[in-house]
Amino acid sequence: MTEQTEQNAAILTSPFGVPERVLARDVPMTAAAFPQTRTVFVSGAMDASAAVTATLVLPAGGTWRIVETKTNLSGIVWGMWTMSIDKEGSFADDVECPCVSAQFSASAVSSDRCRLGFREGRVFPGESFLAQYAVRISGRQLRISHGRPRSAISLPTESDFLDEIENGYALDPAHDVYISVETRL
């Protein structure tokens, strides 16, 4: 193999040793809010080894439908996904906007509506997590903490998962991410 061929091979090898697979790094998160339908689309990628706190400033308070997709840039298979919302908001009970995910078949919301979790599925490195849920916020700022993604090999039991959602979970030191929101009329 020539030196140039070796350099090209190194470029096409991901940091996780998967040949010929290029994963993006430092992909910014972005969002678009549609006030007429009270819908927010959020997209981007995450390469977090710790919890992430995301802040979005929306056009107004009230109830909003969130549709988000995040590409898994970590080196692990996500076996569950957990979120908590700050004291200024809650996950809304909205029959027109159920808490669903394309990758996970089960979800749970705490009785105080401050935590939401998805389980019974997987998101492999390089794949995207797609979810929909509704939030209710008193002001314009929405702050959601995403718990550290759990490896598919070390998942809690269903009862431990439900206990974690109901009673809270420890957050690692969080990375703060500000997601710019473009308002579309």
Side-chain angles (χ1 to χ4, degrees), residues 66-182:
I66 309 294
V67 179
E68 69 174 312
T69 180
K70 292 182 174 75
T71 302
N72 177 359
L73 296 182
S74 73
I76 63 170
V77 177
W78 295 344
M80 64 181 272
W81 188 262
T82 57
M83 296 182 273
S84 63
I85 196 165
D86 74 356
K87 62 184 177 190
E88 304 299 320
S90 64
F91 291 101
D93 187 12
D94 187 343
V95 294
E96 293 183 18
C97 182
C99 299
V100 294
S101 168
Q103 291 71 28
F104 298 99
S105 61
S107 65
V109 180
S110 62
S111 58
D112 64 2
R113 313 241 19 116
C114 290
R115 286 171 300 285
L116 167 64
F118 295 101
R119 67 184 307 267
E120 294 182 23
R122 287 178 170 65
V123 180
F124 291 90
E127 293 181 346
S128 292
F129 163 73
L130 175 63
Q132 169 189 272
Y133 51 90
V135 297
R136 186 171 294 112
I137 53 175
S138 58
R140 293 181 53 208
Q141 183 171 291
L142 170 63
R143 285 182 51 89
I144 294 182
S145 295
H146 297 281
R148 183 175 186 209
R150 295 276 186 90
S151 166
I153 13 184
S154 62
L155 291 176
T157 64
E158 181 178 3
S159 63
D160 289 342
F161 169 78
L162 293 173
D163 182 65
E164 186 174 290
I165 295 301
E166 186 58 37
N167 299 310
Y169 49 88
L171 286 174
D172 297 330
H175 297 287
D176 287 321
V177 177
Y178 178 83
I179 302 173
S180 63
V181 179
E182 178 184 340

